[in-house]
Each structure stands twice: as structure tokens, then as C-alpha cells.
Amino acid sequence: MSRLRTTLRRVPAPLALLLAVAAVLSLSWSLVTAPMQGPDESDHIGFVEHLAETGKIPSAATGKGAYAIDQQLALGTGLLSMYQNRLGRPPWTSGAEQAFRDAEDRLPADARETGDGPNSVGKNPPLYYLYEAAGWKLAFGAGFFGKIFVLRALSGLMLLVMVAFTWLIAGEVFRRRRLPQTVATATVALLPMAGFMSGIVNTDIMLAAIWTAFLWLALRTARQGLTWQRAAGLAAVTVLSVLTHGRGLALVPALLIALVVSWLAHRKSLRATLQAAGASGVVLVAGLGLYKVIVSAGGGGALFGGEANIGSRSAFSVRQLVSSIWQFYLPRLDSMVPRIGPPGFGYRQLFVQQYFGGVFSSFEVYFPYVVYDAVQVSVFVLLLALYTIGAVRFRTVWPHWPKIAILGGTAISLIFFLHVASYRALANGGASPLIVGRYLLPMTAIVGVAIAAVVAGLPRRAGIVVATVVLVGMVALSLGALALNVERFYA
């Protein structure tokens, strides 16, 4: 006990405060979002329950039912009919609650062992579901809704992991300068989408936590030098990413970038280099082999855990891909054909509305567009400031190129992966671009560091002003998003 107290006393006060804020926000989101109203939350819960009760992964294509009987009963109370229906409200009455409990008590003993599929997320790797299944089993005395609360609380712990590792990342980048370190970490703690996703049952929050841990380990390796132990550690975290979701494959290029940058920064001997390469290669190959076995057993496939599994004869054009990405961010050139995909969906919808500002519940809760306009202007100003500071202080910034290469390379790896998978799906007849704002959560720590870099690059007083404006704005966004959700489900 005394050792625990000593450890807690070593936690810096700003980090302790931000961890507490993140915990409160995550818990608030779990309470104000009605059960099974998050993106694909019903399917994720169905996966967890089937795995916890039977030890088996539900099928993505076949089976007798997507959900166990108790989950079907819960959805039948009115929760299913209100999904993506802004006019629908959950049955928040004591009579409805008692009726559900009575019906739940009458279920047969094997009711929870049903729900073997078809489940749309049955193609996903199982790491997140194994983690959540442990919570399901520990909550053995709770009813169905009580178990959902436990599952959501476990997701909330992933946000705390993100906050803690972002603090460490910012410490590596800014050499423990408290103001930028606090700003970077607060960005993660206060981002509305991070809080929202940590308050529901969904794999995305674990994937984001794993990527944040990877970034810290990569930056630490670049500073201290590449060894076979650190290379194996980076590869192991990459494997965890792949075993969490198909999108975790995007961390493989980031791993290669981290290894190359770490080697270039220190130029180890040939023997040490070969040892590091061999260690990371063995861990990565073993992990990817395990991923293939698990996903194949679950009926899944390739990119996005099978969501873009389009076969070996899929259409693919590098020129069309480049044109599609260009038009996502910039106006179409005369030599380009119109990009494929839904019209009107570009960087504003993905980055500004769905990620920085946030879209909540099952995509039917969102801010007034004037809020997104303000967010877009703020992001543009911060990017312009970051570029200007980098250009003006190039000689000061250049010695930190390993950190910039790792952070920038990881962000580009994620974004490019999402564009490639989206293009493949659309080019082969898909109607959905398979790309939404929450998929950007793994780069949240990088966003925090970028904002903190602006603060650190300004004169102290100006930096404090900018930090205050940014953090006050993010607090307003978080509280406003929570208020919108309260109005959605309780008004």
C-alpha cells in the first residue's frame, strides 16, 4: 500500500488532473449515450457476449442469429427502433425497466449462449473482445444492461491509457516542458470524439490507445538508440494493433519508418542492426501469421478486418487513386475525371465535422454548422502557425527531425491507408467510402503534439494565450457535445 502511495505521489499534478478529467468525461459519455446507440455498438456487444459465454467467435456470414436472446429482448424494448432516429427516445420508465427485468429472469439458462451470427464485426480480430469478455465474466451478478455499463467502463480505461502515453510522448518531444506537455495531453483528454468513443463499446478506442503507446516507444527508441529489445517491443505493439482491427495494419509502415529513423539517428554497428531487424521481423511475422489464422477462423478477410475484402481480382488504378486523393482535399484539375464515391464528402466532412468537432450517437447527433465553421478556421490557423514557426525556426527545429519523421510518418501512414482502403471499396462497386472520423483517433496524440508545438514556438505570453484559447474551446466542445447527447436521449 505504501508503494502504491509513493507511485501516485510521483504522478505530476497536471497529468493527474487530466486523467481525472478524462475519466469523468468518459463516464459521462457512457451514461448519457443510450445503450447500443453508438456506431455498430450492438454488433460489438453481441461479439463480446458470444465470446464470453461460449468461448467462440461469432461468424460474420452464417448462424442462427446475430444477437443472444437477452440482447434481442433488450433491443425489443424500443432501443432498436430509435437507432439513427432522432425522434426516438428510450423507454426511461420504472415500469419498462421492471418488465425487462422480469422477462430477463424468465430466460432459459442457455439464453446467453445464442447469437452465433451472422455478425458484421465477426470478421474482426479478437483482442478487444477478449479484453471486454473478461469484464463481462467479472460482472457475473449483473443483468444485461449492468454488463454493458462494465463494458463501457473498460473502454473508458483505454482513454486513460491514451492520456498517460500522450504525456510521455510530449515529454519526449518537449523535454518535459510543462506548458506544451500539458496542452498536448489536454487535447487528447478533451477531444469530444475521444471521450464519446471511450464511453461506448467499440474497437476504435483500443486501437487508438495502442497507437499512442507505439508512438511513445518509437520516440524513446529514436532518442536512446535501436536495440533488438526495443525493435522487438515496437513490433509487438504493432502486432497488438493488427490483432485489434484490420485497420491496425496501417501501423506496419509506421513501424518500418520508426526502425529506419532510429537507425539513421544513431548508426549502430552492422551486427546490432541485423539483430534489431531480425528481432522485429520474427515478432512481426509471427504476429501477422497469428492474425491470419484468427481472422480466417472467424470468417474475416483483409483490409478493415474484412470490410473491404474484395478479392484478388479487384480493380485498382494508381492514377485513379492519386486523383481521388487529390480531389478529396483540393479542387479537381481539368485533366482529372470526377472522383468516385459519394459527392460532397471530403476533408471537411472527415476531419472537421466527424473528427475535430465530432458527430455522435449513431451519426444523428451533431453540432450546428456554424460550430464546424469555427473549428475549420481554428484548424487552418493552427496549421498555418505550425508551418510558419517551422520555417522561421528551421535551424532550431531541424535537429529534432527524428521525432518529426516518426510522428508525421505515422499520421501519413494512417491517412494513406484509409484512402487506399476507401478507394478499393468504391472502385469495386461499394456504395460506402468506408472512412469516418473516428478512424482518425489513433493520430490524436500527434494532433496534440502539433498544437503544443505552436504553443512552444511562440513567446511565452503569447503561448499561454493560445494555450488558454485552445483549451477553453475544447472544453466548450466537450461540454456542448455532452449537452447535445443529453438532449437527444433525455429531453
Side-chain angles (χ1 to χ4, degrees), residues 225-247:
L226 187 63
T227 64
W228 72 265
Q229 295 94 332
R230 295 184 185 122
L234 283 168
V237 177
T238 303
V239 169
L240 293 180
S241 174
V242 174
L243 292 178
T244 301
H245 198 282
R247 269 180 276 115

Side-chain angles (χ1 to χ4, degrees), residues 18 34-35 49 65 89 107 124 161 183 243 323 387 389 449:
L18 290 172
E49 179 171 10
R89 293 294 183 271
L107 291 176
N124 286 352
V161 172
V183 170
L243 292 178
S323 173
Y387 171 80
I389 290 171
V449 169

Side-chain angles (χ1 to χ4, degrees), residues 388-402:
T388 303
I389 290 171
V392 171
R393 301 193 175 186
F394 180 77
R395 292 184 179 180
T396 303
V397 172
W398 175 249
H400 301 284
W401 70 265

Side-chain angles (χ1 to χ4, degrees), residues 226-229 231-232 235 256 259 263 270-285:
L226 187 63
T227 64
W228 72 265
Q229 295 94 332
L256 299 178
L259 294 175
W263 180 81
L270 178 61
R271 180 179 179 181
T273 302
L274 291 176
Q275 286 178 339
S280 62
V282 168
V283 173
L284 190 61
V285 169

Side-chain angles (χ1 to χ4, degrees), residues 152-376:
R152 287 181 167 186
L154 287 177
S155 284
L157 293 179
M158 293 294 101
L159 178 60
L160 303 189
V161 172
M162 290 178 65
V163 170
F165 274 107
T166 302
W167 179 269
L168 296 175
I169 289 168
E172 291 285 341
V173 174
F174 302 107
R175 298 178 182 177
R176 295 181 174 81
R177 292 169 58 189
R178 283 299 170 85
L179 179 60
Q181 195 172 12
T182 301
V183 170
T185 310
T187 299
V188 175
L190 295 173
L191 186 73
M193 278 302 293
F196 166 60
M197 293 304 298
S198 74
I200 64 172
V201 182
N202 192 291
T203 56
D204 289 307
I205 194 65
M206 174 176 275
L207 192 66
I210 290 171
W211 278 57
T212 311
F214 171 88
L215 285 169
W216 170 71
L217 187 57
L219 291 172
R220 190 166 178 265
T221 300
R223 176 173 59 86
Q224 296 183 344
L226 187 63
T227 64
W228 72 265
Q229 295 94 332
R230 295 184 185 122
L234 283 168
V237 177
T238 303
V239 169
L240 293 180
S241 174
V242 174
L243 292 178
T244 301
H245 198 282
R247 269 180 276 115
L249 287 166
L251 199 56
V252 175
L255 168 65
L256 299 178
I257 292 172
L259 294 175
V260 171
V261 167
S262 298
W263 180 81
L264 289 174
H266 295 273
R267 297 298 179 96
K268 293 287 186 176
S269 66
L270 178 61
R271 180 179 179 181
T273 302
L274 291 176
Q275 286 178 339
S280 62
V282 168
V283 173
L284 190 61
V285 169
L288 292 178
L290 179 61
Y291 164 81
K292 186 66 176 178
V293 170
I294 292 174
V295 174
S296 297
L303 295 177
F304 284 25
E307 291 175 75
N309 184 18
I310 50 184
S312 59
R313 296 185 178 180
S314 60
F316 192 92
S317 167
V318 174
R319 182 176 181 178
Q320 190 179 36
L321 169 64
V322 172
S323 173
S324 177
I325 295 175
W326 174 281
Q327 294 179 58
F328 192 86
Y329 298 96
L330 299 168
R332 180 172 67 90
L333 301 178
D334 293 337
S335 59
M336 295 178 176
V337 298
R339 69 183 177 95
I340 57 176
F345 184 80
Y347 74 92
R348 174 182 165 92
Q349 288 70 30
L350 178 65
F351 287 89
V352 176
Q353 295 180 6
Q354 296 185 6
Y355 175 61
F356 289 116
V359 177
F360 314 100
S361 187
S362 50
F363 285 93
E364 80 272 18
V365 178
Y366 45 84
F367 287 107
Y369 283 99
V370 65
V371 174
Y372 295 123
D373 292 339
V375 171
Q376 185 170 0

